[in-house]
Amino acid sequence: MIDPVVVLRQILGSKGWLSGADAEPYQRDWLNRYGVAPLGVARSATTAEVAAVVKACREAGLAVVPQGGNTSLCGGAVAEQPNAVIVSLARMAAIGEPDLDSGSIAVEAGAALAALHEALEPHGLMFPMHLGAEGSARIGGLIGTNAGGSQAFRYGMMQDLVLGLEVVTPEGEVWNGLRAVQKDNAGYQLRKLFCGAEGTLGIVTRAILRLYPTPRQQASALIVMPDFAAAVSFGAFLRGEASEFLTALEFFSDVGLQLALKHLPDLAYQLETRGDVYLLVELASSSQRVALDEILNSALEWGMEQGLVLDGALATSGAHRAQFWRLREEQPEGQRLEGEQLKHDISVPSGAIARFIEAGAKVCHDILPGVRINPFGHLGDGNIHYNLSPPEGRADFEAKAGQFAEALSSLATRMGGSFAAEHGLGRAKIALAERNRGSVERELMERLKSAFDPQGTMNPGVLLRSSQ
Amino acid sequence: MIDPVVVLRQILGSKGWLSGADAEPYQRDWLNRYGVAPLGVARSATTAEVAAVVKACREAGLAVVPQGGNTSLCGGAVAEQPNAVIVSLARMAAIGEPDLDSGSIAVEAGAALAALHEALEPHGLMFPMHLGAEGSARIGGLIGTNAGGSQAFRYGMMQDLVLGLEVVTPEGEVWNGLRAVQKDNAGYQLRKLFCGAEGTLGIVTRAILRLYPTPRQQASALIVMPDFAAAVSFGAFLRGEASEFLTALEFFSDVGLQLALKHLPDLAYQLETRGDVYLLVELASSSQRVALDEILNSALEWGMEQGLVLDGALATSGAHRAQFWRLREEQPEGQRLEGEQLKHDISVPSGAIARFIEAGAKVCHDILPGVRINPFGHLGDGNIHYNLSPPEGRADFEAKAGQFAEALSSLATRMGGSFAAEHGLGRAKIALAERNRGSVERELMERLKSAFDPQGTMNPGVLLRSSQ
């Protein structure tokens, strides 16, 4: 039998194959919890190379692990067995010319989200996805995890923004589904299925994405609220009153604000009042004829009259707006610098957020009295990044990780929500999925996997248990 | 062996099982092209009954054909073999109370779309899907065919509006996926996959749908344009200028207007000018502070200055607006009353509509000189209902149906579009799919089907060729 490394080197050339120390930067996941040394890293430059690599791995019985920016929070993009090849898409980062008349663009899977934003800037069009990792996260991984972010409630998740796809199947065939239309009902919605499949059904190599016109004006406000019930009521009011203008409805708590202000000395909070909850509201419009500031101000006034709003300020400049956003965006960093933490990615119906916060606190304090709860996220779609820090000085925190995850997942499930809202399952949440989702659902997923990847070599152990 | 009809009668009771003459109203499709007499019609009243029927049919080797409002334009909801049971969802038509805070509602699959609209009216929320058949089309069928309609470019197709589903699998198990959140990345996106699966992977019995706030004001205009190039340019301008307000961007042609005015004597066209193309533009806003009329008027003025608009009028009342819509909505009826016709459901990138119209006309006139082309549809997403009437007096029109379909499909495919935009494949377009889509794509679909329905008894012969 021919050494598969010889075959892979031949396909990829010397620049395209990394092993040993050169492969180390690809080995561990973002949170440094998963990943063993793979046989090597295939840095493919073309779809044909990806296909040839997948075929060669299949013949040699090697696992294939697709990797984009390696920003998965669930360990979805690293190997858990040494007889694996990581297929990095980093060299396939081309961004095409946008179709200005139709509002779409073709991109390679390795393009970073921020690079796409930048490429679109001169054209008056935007790709409406924004998330913390956008500087590193790549389009293929965003598709694989069906990314959401702060504008998902308005513009949709990745599955709503993908028009067409090119995918290398687990058998090394190339599916050309590079259509550029929203309406394509010619059979099963494969383009939607690959969104969120976490690279277990094939490797996304190119995509055609939907674009929107860049708004011509914006208004942003930072709003201080007494509690989550007020935030939910005010959010519902805004959805009725300013529905089509709402592009962000982000929240964070005073626990998180304290941590961020403590650890990031250059961070500034400039309002006079503090509250339990903060909202970052953003309106945008394509028309200069709309008085967004007035609409936002009058909503604030209404909120104050109703006792839902304690204080608030509209951004008066781009720099001011950036300050508001930094308060929201530094929430994970503030908590990381505080020390150990446990992350949970919950969603519940947006009207049920306050109920979840209340019930979740009870559940968590039953498990560990004094645990510090730092929920932040996206009010518009009910997505709560429900992160925990230990009571100060306590050491048996991580030992309770399973209990917290279990209790919070079960609570979200009972409320009609999800324990894996926008980060996916990866390797981290398979057991949770097995406990929170019925056997019919998991069985359908097993069948889907076997149908597309009968040998089980495509990203094994992610999303489902490995059958190898 | 027990007679399966005895078993089915036992499950359903006498009111739930129709056969012979009683089953006839369910037998033929909307366009009266498909359908043989089934063994009977199971009018299930509950999910448990649907599951029991599916199990009984499976044991007896009978095909199962789900049917909602039976408005498929592709023969997707009737039987093509006598050993089949039609499962009608018509009795499962319950509509729950909307969740006002979160914007969602639970409905049974048999609820008609218009009934859902009506039920929501008092609540200030809307389900943003509108299409000609909404009085008859039922939610289950709309999910099965991934319906689109006139607001899809703004609010999405059915797959974008489904939060959760309950589905009876081909093996008679019940999948409870009735989550009520947009963000749920806990594994493969089954909820999206069942949208557009045309009942071949299971029977949708209930759904949780996303709702939007009802706009508080609207502005509508009927606009006369010299040609399709002008319509495309004006549409692109509107998307930039009034992006978030646009809720309809419908078009029809003077060919269709002539037919409608000829056959529907009560129809009125009240502008002074005629053009080749007409646009029906609608803006809506949740805010009373926005001058929609001004925005629309100034766009019209710009269009006139640019020579893109020949004439136009804003609706001055609800009745006036309804007149505009009737001109658009009677397009299919006017053509039907003219006599025989051939329907095509095309999509191309919206910026390419004018190019498709020009190239399509050439192709069609090459096949049959003098053929009358009546394109109408949805400018915003490039969806063209490209319908043909024969040259007056010609008889060999229908014989050329295959040639027209082939040529137009191939043209749409080459332009990055689809030959099955929003009506699905049903039984009518399987051959077209085989010719226009690569073998990898059809093979993945075959595998999906086999994985979910190994015996091939769920709506056989729809979407894929029957394996029975």
Side-chain angles (χ1 to χ4, degrees):
Chain A
M1 194 182 145
I2 307 167
D3 180 355
V5 171
V6 173
V7 179
L8 289 165
R9 261 189 216 285
Q10 203 160 27
I11 295 166
L12 294 156
S14 58
K15 282 202 311 206
W17 177 255
L18 304 179
S19 56
D22 293 339
E24 269 175 31
Y26 299 80
Q27 186 178 320
R28 298 288 291 173
D29 79 310
W30 188 256
L31 299 174
N32 199 23
R33 294 186 300 173
Y34 299 94
V36 302
L39 191 66
V41 177
R43 299 182 75 245
S44 323
T46 63
T47 299
E49 280 186 12
V50 174
V53 166
V54 169
K55 261 192 190 142
C57 288
R58 187 163 182 264
E59 275 158 29
L62 296 170
V64 172
V65 179
Q67 188 179 97
N70 195 18
T71 60
S72 169
L73 296 174
C74 301
V78 291
E80 278 292 87
Q81 57 193 85
N83 57 336
V85 170
I86 289 177
V87 176
S88 166
L89 280 299
R91 284 171 75 199
M92 293 178 63
I95 296 173
E97 281 297 308
D99 177 340
L100 301 176
D101 294 331
S102 311
S104 68
I105 191 166
V107 290
E108 285 189 327
L113 179 53
L116 175 58
H117 290 155
E118 205 176 310
L120 287 170
E121 230 177 76
H123 298 289
L125 289 170
M126 61 164 189
F127 182 64
M129 176 164 290
H130 288 280
L131 35 81
E134 64 190 49
S136 320
R138 294 170 191 266
I139 296 299
L142 294 164
I143 291 171
T145 55
N146 189 28
S150 61
Q151 300 195 336
F153 78 100
R154 164 67 186 270
Y155 295 102
M157 304 180 75
M158 207 66 190
Q159 63 197 354
D160 305 298
L161 298 169
V162 162
L163 299 176
L165 285 180
E166 178 187 79
V167 177
V168 172
T169 72
E171 285 160 341
E173 304 288 329
V174 179
W175 170 49
N176 180 344
L178 287 168
R179 265 83 69 177
V181 288
Q182 183 190 9
K183 285 183 175 169
D184 175 28
N185 281 348
Y188 301 130
Q189 293 293 309
L190 296 178
R191 56 183 173 170
K192 307 291 173 182
L193 180 60
F194 284 109
C195 294
E198 303 190 32
T200 64
L201 304 179
I203 302 181
V204 172
T205 45
R206 287 197 288 171
I208 297 184
L209 303 175
R210 183 171 179 179
L211 304 177
Y212 283 82
T214 309
R216 293 178 184 159
Q217 58 156 330
Q218 280 179 321
S220 311
L222 183 66
I223 307 177
V224 189
M225 323 206 79
D227 52 35
F228 277 95
V232 168
S233 297
F234 190 68
F237 174 77
L238 275 177
R239 275 199 296 274
E241 200 73 12
S243 176
E244 73 269 22
F245 305 115
L246 262 181
T247 54
L249 198 51
E250 297 284 295
F251 72 91
F252 54 95
S253 79
D254 202 55
V255 173
L257 181 60
Q258 281 176 42
L259 293 176
L261 293 171
K262 173 177 168 192
H263 293 289
L264 300 157
D266 64 327
L267 202 65
Y269 176 79
Q270 293 176 328
L271 295 183
E272 286 177 13
T273 319
R274 294 280 281 265
D276 272 7
V277 185
Y278 304 86
L279 278 191
L280 204 173
V281 174
E282 206 149 82
L283 307 184
S285 178
S286 58
S287 173
Q288 296 290 7
R289 290 163 190 269
V290 177
L292 286 182
D293 280 9
E294 254 179 52
I295 292 173
L296 196 44
N297 262 323
S298 87
L300 273 173
E301 277 167 29
W302 178 87
M304 285 185 173
E305 280 163 27
Q306 304 289 317
L308 304 174
V309 170
L310 300 177
D311 195 2
L314 264 68
T316 52
S317 68
H320 197 188
R321 173 178 175 248
Q323 272 182 15
F324 290 172
W325 272 101
R326 242 199 108 202
L327 290 172
R328 162 65 185 87
E329 279 170 351
E330 294 290 14
Q331 292 295 312
E333 186 62 6
Q335 191 166 20
R336 191 185 70 81
L337 293 169
E338 177 73 1
E340 52 179 349
Q341 59 167 319
L342 296 170
K343 288 174 183 278
H344 307 95
D345 177 29
I346 302 287
S347 65
V348 293
S350 56
I353 288 182
R355 289 202 297 284
F356 182 88
I357 296 287
E358 191 184 339
K362 193 174 174 319
V363 155
C364 288
H365 289 132
D366 280 353
I367 295 171
L368 184 61
V371 64
R372 287 174 294 167
I373 304 170
N374 179 23
F376 58 88
H378 319 294
L379 195 83
D381 51 40
N383 184 189
I384 309 168
H385 300 298
Y386 193 93
N387 296 353
L388 306 177
S389 292
E392 300 194 43
R394 280 288 287 260
D396 61 346
F397 176 61
E398 300 233 10
K400 296 191 184 282
Q403 262 179 281
F404 284 120
E406 188 65 38
L408 293 167
S409 299
S410 155
L411 182 61
T413 301
R414 287 198 306 275
M415 293 175 77
S418 179
F419 53 92
E422 61 175 7
H423 299 163
L425 297 178
R427 300 182 186 283
K429 295 185 182 168
I430 293 175
L432 279 184
E434 288 169 345
R435 280 195 292 277
N436 283 281
R437 296 290 160 91
S439 58
V440 175
E441 181 165 326
R442 296 303 285 171
E443 162 76 16
L444 289 177
M445 291 188 188
E446 295 276 2
R447 289 191 190 190
L448 235 162
K449 169 73 173 173
S450 303
F452 278 60
D453 182 21
Q455 297 198 328
T457 51
M458 187 57 78
N459 218 5
V462 166
L463 197 147
L464 293 163
R465 280 181 203 284
S466 173
S467 59
Q468 285 194 308
Chain B
M1 194 181 144
I2 307 166
D3 180 356
V5 171
V6 173
V7 179
L8 290 165
R9 261 189 216 284
Q10 203 161 27
I11 295 166
L12 294 157
S14 57
K15 281 202 311 205
W17 178 254
L18 304 179
S19 57
D22 293 339
E24 268 175 31
Y26 299 81
Q27 186 179 320
R28 298 287 292 173
D29 78 311
W30 187 255
L31 299 175
N32 199 23
R33 294 186 300 174
Y34 298 94
V36 303
L39 192 64
V41 177
R43 299 182 76 244
S44 322
T46 64
T47 300
E49 280 186 13
V50 174
V53 166
V54 169
K55 260 192 190 142
C57 288
R58 187 163 183 263
E59 275 159 29
L62 296 170
V64 172
V65 179
Q67 188 179 95
N70 196 18
T71 60
S72 169
L73 296 174
C74 300
V78 291
E80 279 292 86
Q81 55 192 85
N83 59 334
V85 170
I86 289 178
V87 176
S88 166
L89 279 299
R91 284 172 75 200
M92 293 178 63
I95 297 173
E97 281 298 307
D99 177 340
L100 301 176
D101 294 332
S102 310
S104 67
I105 191 166
V107 290
E108 285 189 327
L113 179 53
L116 175 59
H117 290 155
E118 206 176 309
L120 288 169
E121 231 177 76
H123 298 288
L125 289 170
M126 62 164 190
F127 182 64
M129 176 164 290
H130 288 281
L131 36 80
E134 62 191 50
S136 320
R138 294 171 191 268
I139 296 300
L142 294 163
I143 291 171
T145 54
N146 190 29
S150 60
Q151 301 197 335
F153 78 100
R154 163 68 184 270
Y155 294 102
M157 304 179 76
M158 207 65 190
Q159 64 197 354
D160 304 299
L161 298 169
V162 163
L163 299 176
L165 284 181
E166 178 187 79
V167 177
V168 172
T169 72
E171 285 159 341
E173 304 288 330
V174 179
W175 170 49
N176 180 343
L178 287 168
R179 264 83 70 177
V181 289
Q182 182 190 11
K183 285 182 174 169
D184 176 27
N185 280 347
Y188 301 129
Q189 294 292 308
L190 296 179
R191 56 183 174 171
K192 306 291 173 184
L193 180 60
F194 284 110
C195 295
E198 303 191 32
T200 64
L201 303 180
I203 302 181
V204 172
T205 45
R206 287 198 288 171
I208 297 184
L209 303 175
R210 184 171 179 179
L211 304 177
Y212 283 81
T214 309
R216 294 179 184 158
Q217 58 157 330
Q218 281 178 320
S220 312
L222 183 65
I223 306 175
V224 189
M225 322 206 82
D227 51 35
F228 277 95
V232 168
S233 297
F234 190 67
F237 175 76
L238 275 178
R239 275 200 297 273
E241 199 73 13
S243 175
E244 72 269 21
F245 305 116
L246 261 181
T247 54
L249 198 50
E250 298 283 296
F251 72 91
F252 53 95
S253 79
D254 203 54
V255 173
L257 180 60
Q258 280 176 42
L259 292 176
L261 292 173
K262 172 178 168 191
H263 292 290
L264 299 158
D266 64 326
L267 202 64
Y269 176 79
Q270 293 176 328
L271 295 182
E272 287 177 13
T273 319
R274 295 279 282 264
D276 272 8
V277 185
Y278 303 86
L279 277 191
L280 203 173
V281 174
E282 205 149 84
L283 307 185
S285 178
S286 59
S287 173
Q288 296 291 6
R289 290 164 189 270
V290 178
L292 286 183
D293 279 10
E294 254 179 51
I295 292 173
L296 197 43
N297 262 324
S298 89
L300 273 173
E301 277 166 30
W302 177 88
M304 285 185 173
E305 280 163 28
Q306 303 291 315
L308 304 174
V309 170
L310 300 177
D311 195 1
L314 263 69
T316 53
S317 67
H320 198 187
R321 173 179 175 248
Q323 272 181 14
F324 290 172
W325 272 101
R326 243 199 106 202
L327 290 173
R328 161 65 185 86
E329 280 169 352
E330 295 289 14
Q331 292 295 312
E333 186 62 5
Q335 191 165 21
R336 189 185 72 81
L337 293 169
E338 176 74 0
E340 52 179 349
Q341 59 167 318
L342 295 170
K343 289 175 182 278
H344 308 94
D345 177 30
I346 301 287
S347 66
V348 293
S350 56
I353 288 182
R355 288 203 298 284
F356 181 88
I357 296 287
E358 192 184 339
K362 192 174 173 319
V363 154
C364 288
H365 290 133
D366 280 353
I367 295 172
L368 183 61
V371 64
R372 288 174 293 168
I373 303 170
N374 178 23
F376 58 88
H378 318 294
L379 195 83
D381 49 41
N383 183 188
I384 310 168
H385 300 299
Y386 193 92
N387 296 353
L388 305 178
S389 292
E392 300 195 42
R394 280 288 286 261
D396 61 346
F397 177 60
E398 301 233 10
K400 297 193 184 281
Q403 262 179 283
F404 284 121
E406 188 65 39
L408 292 167
S409 299
S410 154
L411 182 61
T413 301
R414 286 198 305 275
M415 294 174 77
S418 179
F419 53 91
E422 60 174 7
H423 299 161
L425 297 178
R427 300 183 186 282
K429 294 185 182 169
I430 293 175
L432 279 183
E434 287 169 346
R435 280 195 292 276
N436 283 282
R437 295 290 160 92
S439 58
V440 175
E441 182 165 326
R442 296 301 287 170
E443 162 76 17
L444 289 178
M445 290 188 189
E446 295 275 2
R447 288 190 190 191
L448 236 162
K449 169 74 173 173
S450 303
F452 279 60
D453 182 21
Q455 297 198 329
T457 51
M458 188 57 78
N459 218 5
V462 165
L463 198 145
L464 294 163
R465 280 182 203 284
S466 173
S467 59
Q468 285 195 306

